[in-house]
Amino acid sequence: DVTEVEFTFCDMNEKFFHGIKTLLHSSSTIYAAQSSSLSDVMIDNVSVGTVISTEGDEEGNVFAFSSVVNLTTYGENNAIKYLKQQCLKSCPAEHKKDLSVVLSGKTKRPAGFLLHSRMVNLPLELVLVLHQQLVLDMDWAVDHAQGGEEERKSLDFGAFVRLAPAQQQQQQHGGGSKKGIDYKYFDDEIFASNAEFTYTIDAPTSYGSDVKPMVNVIVLTKTGHRAAMEEIKQMVGK
């Protein structure tokens, strides 16, 4: 028997806490210890975040989520502090000054951590709409700001930082091989190709796993993020 499922795009809600936490925890060990706190932050950040669930869902099932957590608003949250520390401690010297500014929470236009995760084999069309919906959320927040120009600027993200789950792989190159990055999510590779800069850090080791977990830190401007969105759209064929 084939069971038809109608997916729906929902605002962040407390009923999705466990589903968001589970997906975030399983996406990378960099998020595992902070998954509860980060899930709380995303739910609190209701204006910029989307969950894919199912029509008529009462159990809080989550098939995917995406959110941008404002580093000015949530900069003192311990989980956000932890992610900032992980980014900065292994940042190459040539990027450290720029990244410190981005993560400071004191930029004229805010920066945010781009968080997303999903179940394996989620249809590509839904991945595209998930990211598109997040852009609509950000644009809506700016357009409906009540506090004039200053508030609009405070909601208009100028930069995004993505800690993308990945692992190292050997790639054949010119008769030899070199180390490359294998992303868990194809869209993160597209974000990386449109980034101002990227670099790789080690993620905490997973107990009982032989695979060395890594995270690629991707720093995007708003322009780079929108360009990546166009590439994802072309890839999906929409």
Side-chain angles (χ1 to χ4, degrees), residues 25 64 75 113 117 136 140 148 176 199 206-207:
H25 188 281
F113 277 123
S117 185
L136 290 174
W140 189 94
Y199 61 95
S206 179
Y207 179 76

Side-chain angles (χ1 to χ4, degrees), residues 123-184:
L124 292 182
E125 292 82 2
L126 292 181
V127 175
L128 171 63
V129 178
L130 179 70
H131 288 301
Q132 289 175 329
Q133 192 62 49
L134 188 63
V135 169
L136 290 174
D137 283 351
M138 290 188 281
D139 289 347
W140 189 94
V142 172
D143 292 342
H144 291 79
Q146 300 295 315
E149 186 64 23
E150 283 304 310
E151 185 178 349
R152 276 194 291 276
K153 285 183 180 178
S154 75
L155 295 168
D156 187 9
F157 286 95
F160 305 90
V161 181
R162 168 69 178 152
L163 277 68
Q167 62 186 50
Q168 207 168 67
Q169 67 172 8
Q170 293 296 124
Q171 297 177 334
Q172 296 303 312
H173 183 72
S177 65
K178 67 175 183 177
K179 292 179 180 178
I181 296 294
D182 183 21
Y183 289 94
K184 181 169 186 174

Side-chain angles (χ1 to χ4, degrees), residues 52-91:
I52 297 181
S53 189
T54 52
E55 185 69 36
D57 173 78
E58 295 180 357
E59 299 176 1
N61 290 308
V62 177
F63 292 86
F65 71 83
S66 63
S67 179
V68 178
V69 176
N70 189 315
L71 286 165
T72 302
T73 306
Y74 295 101
E76 293 306 306
N77 177 276
N78 285 335
I80 298 302
K81 285 182 177 179
Y82 169 80
L83 294 183
K84 290 197 288 186
Q85 289 167 358
Q86 296 303 304
C87 290
L88 286 169
K89 73 178 185 181
S90 300
C91 181

Side-chain angles (χ1 to χ4, degrees), residues 20-64:
I20 293 170
K21 177 186 174 183
T22 298
L23 285 180
L24 186 63
H25 188 281
S26 63
S27 68
S28 171
T29 55
I30 199 80
Y31 298 121
Q34 311 298 325
S35 57
S36 289
S37 181
L38 288 170
S39 298
D40 281 333
V41 167
M42 285 187 277
I43 290 167
D44 182 68
N45 183 40
V46 66
S47 62
V48 185
T50 298
V51 169
I52 297 181
S53 189
T54 52
E55 185 69 36
D57 173 78
E58 295 180 357
E59 299 176 1
N61 290 308
V62 177
F63 292 86

